Amino acid sequence: MIMTGIGSGIDYESMISAIIAAERAPKDNQLNRQEGMNKAEMEALKEIQNTINGFRDTVEDLGSKRELEKLKAILSNEDFLSVAVDANAVAGEYAFDVKQLATAQRDQLLKASADTHFTQGEISFGDGDKKVTVDIATLQADLIAAQDTKTQELTDSQLESVAKKHGYDLTVPAEKAEAEKALTDPTHEHYDKDRHDSYKSSLDAIAKEKTRLQTEGVKFEEIQQAINNHPKNDYAKATLVRSGDNVSLVLNAKDTGIENKIDPIFVSLTGPQKPGDVSIHSNLQAAQDAEVMFGSMTLTSASNKMENVIDGMTLNLKAVGAVNVKVEADQSGVKDTIKTFVDEYNKIIETVNTYTKSSEDGAAALSGNASVRSMVSRLRGVISDEYGASTFSTLSQLGITTSQKGVLEIDNTKLDKAIEDDFEQVANLFIGTDTQPGMMDKMLVVLDDYHKNGGIYDQRTDQLEYNNKTLQKDREQLDERMKAKTITLRDYYARMDSQIANMNQTQSMLIGMLS
């Protein structure tokens, strides 16, 4: 009910709105302020959590023996092979002589003029459960039957289209007959010439294909598809190679190496409808294994990727030829990993500074946050600690120091010299030894309290989300109180307006009696 002030002429509704607004403003402001603070804190914690996640990935890398003992391969010639090495490789010099590459078997099954068709014969390859056989007469019969299926499917599709458009029920014989007439009979009221012409043209094309198969036989492309689609064939692929007026049907083994040889192969095609010179089966490329001499040893592989033939080394063969390979420490790669560690650590410090340092605009979202201060203190403790696992007991001895702003800085000259002079001891500072922990061991202990699910920041974020739900309930309760208050005020002013109306009426009567 809206108060109109009929008796008094007073705008009670505006008065009620002003009273309600004044009464709820302090609580509204309190709720808005608290929700804003909670949201800002959650967003700040999320940003810090993201930087911690990135930093932890780098810490895991630096804590990995494989990462800090990276090796690289230097080749005298990259034309013949490439080499991938991991931490299991042994530094040193190696000589390889690629004698032959692994190849896949390739056979020309038949060769004839492009317009040759076949009606009899057989192509088969492989043996046992993997034997693939394509009988030309059977293939021809299957393709002819497929044309009949196409005809029926086309007709069914056209009738369904007619039925849908004109409301025929094809399950009712009489209505199906009407649909057939609508499709083909020019005298029918629903006949559509364009539709009929399109249908007839498609039927003619299918009929022509069927006649070709019956009178001439199957084409190269149909034999190719039969081979490639055979359910037992997952190890060879047929391709067509065209040269002038001739076409060759070529069978290619899927994989290289003697173990993937296709044997036996049998081809016997007779009775082409358009005879020509038909060449039957010849080998184009034999299956062979890769061979590489390593000193007096012969290394063999079915593929041109020789994995782990020597501990920690994988050879990718490219061409025949001799190559010298030097395996040594990848010092530049390790330095890049250390630099990434410094960069990711600095991101945490800079993000923390962004959300903890207040400015003239107001307090920061995490200003005075004890858990953040504790995290930074623990991280700095790990960074500044001394470690007995290495002769480099501190980061500063590698040229990595903490600036006045709390971020790490690198003296590249000092770091380069440390890596060059004693690469193993640099690694030990980070990864430790069997008896002494490294810096990354201690760093992971700290990060696990903040990184993993259920960690300190996860718990705080859950609490803030719960607090916001409570604030939402407080807002709903405030709304209910204000609604009740509005009803009470309207009732009060309605009674008062009624009294004023009665007084005005009495006044008017008295004035009328005296006049």
Side-chain angles (χ1 to χ4, degrees), residues 25 260 286 345 377 385 452 455 476 480:
N260 297 307
Y345 175 85
S377 176
D385 206 353
K452 60 187 178 183
E476 291 170 358
E480 291 301 319

Side-chain angles (χ1 to χ4, degrees), residues 199 221 284 299 340:
Y199 170 57
E221 289 82 1
L284 303 178
L299 309 178
T340 300

Side-chain angles (χ1 to χ4, degrees), residues 384-424:
S384 61
D385 206 353
E386 294 186 0
Y387 298 87
S390 170
T391 55
F392 298 107
S393 60
T394 65
L395 276 181
S396 61
Q397 290 177 302
L398 300 183
I400 303 172
T401 56
T402 303
S403 72
Q404 292 182 347
K405 295 182 179 180
V407 297
L408 296 178
E409 295 178 338
I410 299 177
D411 181 335
N412 286 300
T413 301
K414 193 171 183 179
L415 178 59
D416 288 342
K417 188 174 187 307
I419 292 175
E420 184 176 353
D421 288 350
D422 205 334
F423 183 81
E424 182 177 355

Side-chain angles (χ1 to χ4, degrees), residues 9 96 133 255 278 343 355 369 429 437:
F96 299 102
T133 299
D255 298 309
V278 179
D343 291 341
Y355 290 109
N369 187 291
L429 173 61

Side-chain angles (χ1 to χ4, degrees), residues 30 45 74 86 117 146-147 163 165 171 179 217 232 261 266 268 284 294 307 336 343 347 369 380 394 414 463 472 513:
Q30 177 190 350
L45 291 175
I74 302 173
D86 61 32
H117 290 67
Q147 304 312 306
K165 183 174 182 179
T171 63
K232 292 185 178 181
K261 179 182 178 182
F266 175 76
S268 175
L284 303 178
F294 177 56
E307 297 186 81
D336 287 342
D343 291 341
K347 283 182 183 178
N369 187 291
R380 286 175 175 165
T394 65
K414 193 171 183 179
Q463 181 61 51
Q472 181 60 33
M513 292 171 63

Side-chain angles (χ1 to χ4, degrees), residues 262-276:
I262 304 171
D263 187 57
I265 295 176
F266 175 76
V267 181
S268 175
L269 298 183
T270 59
Q273 295 300 310
K274 292 186 177 180

Side-chain angles (χ1 to χ4, degrees), residues 15-182:
M15 292 174 59
I16 294 171
S17 295
I19 293 170
I20 295 299
E23 186 168 335
R24 77 174 294 154
K27 186 64 175 178
D28 260 340
N29 292 337
Q30 177 190 350
L31 293 172
N32 290 337
R33 183 170 59 256
Q34 190 60 54
E35 284 179 342
M37 292 171 60
N38 290 349
K39 181 180 179 182
E41 184 175 349
M42 284 191 289
E43 290 178 349
L45 291 175
K46 182 179 179 180
E47 287 297 319
I48 292 176
Q49 184 79 67
N50 288 339
T51 60
I52 290 173
N53 293 345
F55 182 54
R56 193 182 190 285
D57 291 342
T58 304
V59 168
E60 285 184 329
D61 286 343
L62 268 174
S64 165
K65 181 180 178 68
R66 177 174 297 180
E67 187 70 19
L68 270 183
E69 294 185 356
K70 279 183 175 179
L71 298 170
K72 64 180 180 180
I74 302 173
L75 280 66
S76 62
N77 191 318
E78 297 183 357
D79 292 338
F80 306 127
L81 59 80
S82 63
V83 179
V85 294
D86 61 32
N88 294 318
V90 178
E93 296 191 4
Y94 303 81
F96 299 102
D97 188 0
V98 182
K99 292 299 184 181
Q100 68 180 35
L101 297 179
T103 57
Q105 181 177 344
R106 181 174 296 122
D107 286 74
Q108 176 183 278
L109 299 179
L110 62 98
K111 177 183 178 182
S113 60
D115 58 355
T116 301
H117 290 67
F118 301 91
T119 57
Q120 297 292 327
E122 179 183 289
I123 294 175
S124 67
F125 53 89
D127 58 6
D129 294 338
K130 298 184 69 175
K131 183 175 181 179
V132 173
T133 299
V134 175
D135 180 79
I136 301 303
T138 301
L139 174 60
Q140 181 183 20
D142 289 343
L143 291 173
I144 290 171
Q147 304 312 306
D148 293 333
T149 301
K150 286 182 180 180
T151 298
Q152 187 60 53
E153 288 175 346
L154 174 64
T155 300
D156 291 344
S157 174
Q158 291 293 318
L159 288 176
E160 286 174 6
S161 176
V162 171
K164 183 178 180 180
K165 183 174 182 179
H166 300 293
Y168 295 120
D169 184 351
L170 297 180
T171 63
V172 178
E175 293 195 30
K176 183 177 181 181
E178 283 298 312
E180 291 171 345
K181 289 181 180 180

Side-chain angles (χ1 to χ4, degrees), residues 374-480:
S374 174
M375 180 196 72
V376 172
S377 176
R378 293 175 68 188
L379 291 177
R380 286 175 175 165
V382 175
I383 291 294
S384 61
D385 206 353
E386 294 186 0
Y387 298 87
S390 170
T391 55
F392 298 107
S393 60
T394 65
L395 276 181
S396 61
Q397 290 177 302
L398 300 183
I400 303 172
T401 56
T402 303
S403 72
Q404 292 182 347
K405 295 182 179 180
V407 297
L408 296 178
E409 295 178 338
I410 299 177
D411 181 335
N412 286 300
T413 301
K414 193 171 183 179
L415 178 59
D416 288 342
K417 188 174 187 307
I419 292 175
E420 184 176 353
D421 288 350
D422 205 334
F423 183 81
E424 182 177 355
Q425 291 302 319
V426 172
N428 287 347
L429 173 61
F430 292 101
I431 66 178
T433 63
D434 292 338
T435 59
Q436 295 272 10
M439 181 181 293
M440 298 305 99
D441 295 321
K442 291 188 176 182
M443 188 65 79
L444 283 172
V445 172
V446 175
L447 292 177
D448 279 346
D449 285 341
Y450 303 93
H451 163 80
K452 60 187 178 183
N453 292 335
I456 291 172
Y457 290 155
D458 269 359
Q459 293 175 21
R460 178 55 182 165
T461 299
D462 290 343
Q463 181 61 51
L464 290 169
E465 290 176 347
Y466 175 79
N467 291 348
N468 274 349
K469 290 179 181 178
T470 301
L471 292 174
Q472 181 60 33
K473 290 181 181 179
D474 290 346
R475 192 181 297 281
E476 291 170 358
Q477 291 173 0
L478 176 62
D479 290 340
E480 291 301 319

